[in-house]
Amino acid sequence: MACNSATCNSSGCYKEYEVEEEQRQPTTRGGINGSATTHQNLCVKCKSNEPVCCGIGGDDARFCKDCFKTNLYGKFKQAVSYNAMITPSDKVLVAFSGGPSSRVVLQFVHEMQCRAQKNFDASKDRSLPVFGVGVAFIDESSIHSFASQDAEKAIEDIRSIVSNLAPPEKELYVVPIENIFSSDNIDGKERMKKLLDAVSDVTGKEDLLIHLRMLSLQRVASQNRYTRVVLGSCTSRIACHVISATVKGQGYSLSADIQYVDSRWQVPVVLPLRDCPAQELNTLCSLDGLKIVELLNGPCSSINGLVSSFVKVLQEENPSRECTIVRTAGKLTPFHFNRIPDIHDSSVPLATRRRQKRHSIKPNGSLSSESFCPICNSPLNKSNFSSSLRSLQSNENSDIFAAAAACSSCQFQIIPKEPSLMEQFVSLLPQPLITRAKHGDRGDFSLLREQIQEFLLSDGEDEI
């Protein structure tokens, strides 16, 4: 929508319509009483329907319901097509929290699947399969202080939302977050509580919970053979992440988190709503009557909460601020895993494969990273390992989380400083984190060995 910026080149901006409206002189039509009428009360796009909603920063209604939704769906579809996020042979898992962003992305994925199903039914040879869709809700009621009946009501509402979607049928997975520890809910709840209590920093506790949520989604996806995880992260949320990550010292890994595709995980993660601001998503939910379910709306004192409030103030002062932040951060060099691997499946249309090859990130235009933070899975700079020899001399679990093996944010906000607390912290971590840390530790050692290879003695040489 219109962003009030003189330098905006966004494909979804309606600034040109505003200029046309300002330059157009009112046209007069002869009526029974000779009264003059203008086009100001019509949609600026179709020029036929009554406007019911405005673009970002607009005070007056300028777009009809159909044009507004078409524009928003167009942004989603363009992101999906250009980045080959969803192909006919895929099976995608939509992460659903119940909020406006995840509700819209679920609706758009559903509509995309319905169109694919219609094309499949109308096709004579039926050569293109219809991609599958599942929905995952991570239940965090065990770690938040709200009534159990509210959590049960929210889960029932989510089941109702998914079941009321038209065919093809979508399977819903309601997964307690403590299941990442164990199949025993009682033991899992206790370990989750102790693990979060071991992190004293409020921001670190919130970030750790985000990492555990992603691990839960990855576990559901891998166990049920999904090929994509679809998140509802929108422009507004990504803009907040850009600033908060910079404040927390995650500048090197920032570009990895804000791209359309993130394949560093076992199941690639995609962000089809990257170009859609939260205000537009909220408007669509209101216009289409899309039911949302939100349990956590209270104030937050963490860095993430403060940054969110700060960006909200900036957005009120300048409606294009969020888009500007994301567009500026988008100039950072992406990593090699910020792309879907080349498609060689013959069931995927040739046009889709060509488009994916044309728009995907080139290897020589991206950063490479062989090492990742064992906690948050952020890519690490190779220079971070210049002083890591001591941490690699032991295979004990506590050593694999030494300062040199983790990103700066996890070092200062999540990982305890004292050795005694460190041992307790590691003993409480879920097994996927321990496994990733051990694999990352071996990867770091191979990187160091490569750097000092010319100075090492061969097996047949004697030490002098």
Side-chain angles (χ1 to χ4, degrees):
M1 299 305 167
C3 63
N4 297 342
S5 173
T7 60
C8 177
N9 295 317
S10 174
S11 59
C13 183
Y14 275 99
K15 183 171 56 181
E16 63 269 18
Y17 291 110
E18 296 180 358
V19 175
E20 292 176 4
E21 288 296 304
E22 292 176 358
Q23 294 178 348
R24 182 184 294 120
Q25 298 295 328
T27 58
T28 305
R29 298 178 182 175
I32 298 178
N33 56 1
S35 61
T37 60
T38 69
H39 289 294
Q40 293 180 354
N41 60 339
L42 296 178
C43 171
V44 297
K45 186 175 181 181
C46 66
K47 305 294 193 298
S48 60
N49 298 324
E50 181 180 355
V52 294
C53 56
C54 61
I56 291 184
D59 296 327
D60 302 321
R62 302 186 65 81
F63 306 102
C64 67
K65 174 182 176 180
D66 292 337
C67 290
F68 181 83
K69 181 176 180 179
T70 299
N71 177 76
L72 200 57
Y73 181 82
K75 294 180 183 179
F76 163 84
K77 191 65 169 63
Q78 183 178 15
V80 170
S81 300
Y82 278 18
N83 298 277
M85 294 183 183
I86 301 176
T87 61
S89 59
D90 279 329
K91 187 179 178 183
V92 301
L93 181 69
V94 179
F96 187 64
S97 65
S101 296
S102 64
R103 183 64 185 90
V104 171
V105 78
L106 174 61
Q107 185 67 26
F108 283 172
V109 170
H110 165 66
E111 293 179 7
M112 184 177 174
Q113 186 191 34
C114 288
R115 295 181 185 184
Q117 183 66 51
K118 289 182 180 179
N119 294 336
F120 177 80
D121 294 338
S123 175
K124 293 182 179 180
D125 57 358
R126 297 192 173 186
S127 58
L128 291 181
V130 180
F131 65 92
V133 179
V135 184
F137 172 72
I138 306 302
D139 181 13
E140 303 175 12
S141 58
S142 61
I143 57 178
H144 294 295
S145 57
F146 46 74
S148 58
Q149 57 266 27
D150 293 338
E152 294 174 359
K153 175 65 165 54
I155 293 176
E156 286 301 318
D157 290 341
I158 290 173
R159 293 186 187 277
S160 175
I161 291 172
V162 176
S163 62
N164 288 336
L165 294 174
E169 186 177 356
K170 298 159 186 63
E171 187 169 0
L172 173 64
Y173 305 90
V174 178
V175 183
I177 193 170
E178 59 268 17
N179 282 9
I180 194 65
F181 295 94
S182 168
S183 57
D184 185 356
N185 287 339
I186 298 178
D187 179 60
K189 289 180 181 179
E190 192 66 25
R191 286 187 63 182
M192 173 67 78
K193 184 178 183 303
K194 290 181 179 179
L195 177 61
L196 294 179
D197 290 342
V199 181
S200 58
D201 186 85
V202 177
T203 303
K205 189 174 299 187
E206 184 176 330
D207 289 347
L208 179 59
L209 186 58
I210 293 174
H211 307 328
L212 295 176
R213 187 183 304 137
M214 176 56 73
L215 283 180
S216 298
L217 288 172
Q218 288 290 317
R219 183 182 184 186
V220 174
S222 60
Q223 287 180 346
N224 296 278
R225 299 183 178 181
Y226 285 92
T227 57
R228 301 284 189 275
V229 173
V230 180
L231 300 185
S233 299
C234 61
T235 304
S236 307
R237 183 167 184 178
I238 295 175
C240 294
H241 178 72
V242 168
I243 297 181
S244 61
T246 305
V247 171
K248 292 182 283 189
Q250 296 176 323
Y252 177 78
S253 62
L254 174 59
S255 62
D257 302 327
I258 62 175
Q259 307 299 327
Y260 291 100
V261 178
D262 186 355
S263 298
R264 77 186 114 159
W265 304 95
Q266 180 181 358
V267 181
V269 176
V270 296
L271 309 179
L273 296 185
R274 182 179 180 268
D275 299 325
C276 303
Q279 180 179 337
E280 294 183 4
L281 302 177
N282 290 330
T283 301
L284 182 62
C285 288
S286 177
L287 291 176
D288 269 10
L290 300 178
K291 187 175 182 179
I292 60 176
V293 181
E294 289 188 294
L295 287 173
L296 302 175
N297 290 318
C300 182
S301 58
S302 67
I303 291 177
N304 302 325
L306 296 177
V307 168
S308 179
S309 301
F310 173 68
V311 172
K312 185 177 181 180
V313 173
L314 292 180
Q315 183 71 5
E316 292 174 353
E317 295 176 353
N318 187 339
S320 67
R321 194 68 73 190
E322 292 175 344
C323 297
T324 301
I325 293 173
V326 175
R327 208 163 46 239
T328 302
K331 299 181 183 297
L332 294 172
T333 304
F335 286 83
H336 66 282
F337 51 74
N338 287 131
R339 62 190 295 271
I340 294 294
D342 292 338
I343 301 174
H344 302 289
D345 190 350
S346 59
S347 65
V348 178
L350 180 61
T352 300
R353 283 181 276 169
R354 288 177 175 175
R355 189 185 302 114
Q356 188 262 350
K357 187 175 181 179
R358 183 170 64 250
H359 293 278
S360 64
I361 299 170
K362 303 299 184 294
N364 58 358
S366 61
L367 297 175
S368 61
S369 178
E370 300 178 5
S371 305
F372 297 87
C373 175
I375 300 293
C376 65
N377 206 27
S378 296
L380 300 177
N381 195 339
K382 293 180 181 180
S383 61
N384 292 344
F385 299 99
S386 58
S387 61
S388 61
L389 283 172
R390 288 181 300 174
S391 66
L392 297 173
Q393 292 174 348
S394 173
N395 290 326
E396 295 298 326
N397 284 346
S398 59
D399 288 333
I400 62 178
F401 289 95
C407 69
S408 58
S409 177
C410 292
Q411 289 177 33
F412 295 107
Q413 296 177 329
I414 297 180
I415 300 177
K417 305 296 186 297
E418 299 183 10
S420 59
L421 297 177
M422 179 66 150
E423 293 180 3
Q424 180 186 7
F425 175 78
V426 172
S427 66
L428 294 171
L429 289 173
Q431 189 58 39
L433 277 182
I434 297 294
T435 303
R436 187 168 69 192
K438 290 181 178 180
H439 289 170
D441 184 61
R442 289 196 292 269
D444 299 346
F445 183 76
S446 63
L447 176 60
L448 285 174
R449 185 178 183 86
E450 179 182 348
Q451 293 174 344
I452 62 174
Q453 181 66 40
E454 58 181 310
F455 304 105
L456 296 178
L457 296 174
S458 63
D459 295 336
E461 292 178 330
D462 294 330
E463 182 179 357
I464 299 177

